[in-house]
Amino acid sequence: MTTTIKSVAKVALVFVIWAASCYAQGPPELQAKLSAEVKQLELFSADPQVVSAVKTYNATPPSAEAKAMTNDKWHGLTLFDPFVRAIGKSPLSEYLKTKRDDEIAKIFVSGADGGKVGFDAKTEHWTHKGMPKHEVPMSGKVWIGTVKLDDSTGLQMIQVGLPVLADGKPIGSIVFGLRADKLR
C-alpha cells in the first residue's frame, strides 16, 4: 500500500507542478511549495478517519432522501437544511474542517457512488459521479483540474482529486481545492 501511495504522490506532484507551471510559470519556490503540499495531500488517501468513513458510507444503504437527491436539488438546499447539516456535522466533516489551511480552501470526500461522505463546506454538487474529479481517482489515478473560479468559494483554485484507498484499492475519492493565489 505504501508503494501505491508513493506512486500516487509522484503522479500528483508532476501534475500539480505542471498545472501550476502553466498558471504561474513554475518558479523553483513554487515547485518546492507544491511538492510539500502534495506530500501532505497524499496522506489523505489512506487516512484512517477518511477510509473508515468511506467504508461505512459504501456499506450503508442510502436513505430515501439520499436516493432521491440530484445535483439540482442539492444546489437549491441551504446550509441549514437538515440533510445538508447532517453531512456537514458528521465526524468526517468536522475532521476535514481541521485540515483546511492557507493553501487548502476546500476538501470533500465522496463514496464509490459519487455521493458526499463529508466536506468542510457545502459543495456545489451532491454527486460527482461521471465527472473526472471522481472517476479518475476511482480508477486509482490522480486528477488535476485547471485553474478556475470555484463557484462555492469565489476563489481561483486548482482542484486535485485523489483516490481514497483501502487495501490499495480505490473505494472513494477526496478532492482538494488549492488556492491558486497561495501557490504562486
Side-chain angles (χ1 to χ4, degrees):
M1 184 165 77
T2 303
T3 303
T4 302
I5 292 171
K6 286 182 181 176
S7 296
V8 168
K10 287 178 185 175
V11 171
L13 177 60
V14 168
F15 281 107
V16 169
I17 290 172
W18 172 79
S21 295
C22 290
Y23 181 71
Q25 303 303 314
E29 62 275 7
L30 171 64
Q31 292 179 8
K33 197 171 192 180
L34 286 172
S35 177
E37 190 68 34
V38 169
K39 275 225 173 277
Q40 295 300 312
L41 296 180
E42 74 182 354
L43 300 175
F44 284 94
S45 286
D47 182 287
Q49 286 186 260
V50 174
V51 172
S52 176
V54 173
K55 280 183 174 180
T56 299
Y57 174 91
N58 288 345
T60 305
S63 67
E65 191 169 18
K67 280 184 187 179
M69 188 58 62
T70 65
N71 283 337
D72 285 340
K73 286 180 190 176
W74 176 259
H75 190 70
L77 298 177
T78 71
L79 297 173
F80 301 108
D81 181 88
F83 185 73
V84 175
R85 280 183 71 82
I87 298 167
K89 296 291 184 183
S90 71
L92 177 61
S93 292
E94 294 299 330
Y95 177 67
L96 295 175
K97 290 171 190 172
T98 69
K99 301 304 175 184
R100 230 180 358 207
D101 61 22
D102 285 344
E103 293 166 359
I104 300 172
K106 181 181 196 174
I107 310 169
F108 58 88
V109 176
S110 300
D113 68 356
K116 290 297 154 284
V117 179
F119 48 73
D120 68 325
K122 183 178 179 272
T123 58
E124 186 176 345
H125 295 93
W126 159 248
T127 181
H128 288 91
K129 186 171 183 75
M131 296 180 190
K133 67 178 75 178
H134 176 69
E135 298 301 330
V136 172
M138 286 302 295
S139 72
K141 299 175 184 168
V142 175
W143 173 84
I144 306 293
T146 58
V147 176
K148 70 174 203 162
L149 180 66
D150 181 79
D151 291 336
S152 64
T153 64
L155 299 170
Q156 291 285 329
M157 288 199 289
I158 299 171
Q159 288 190 337
V160 177
L162 299 167
V164 174
L165 301 169
D167 300 321
K169 297 187 188 302
I171 61 168
S173 64
I174 185 166
V175 176
F176 297 89
L178 303 178
R179 289 183 57 167
D181 63 322
K182 299 293 183 178
L183 296 174
R184 290 184 183 201

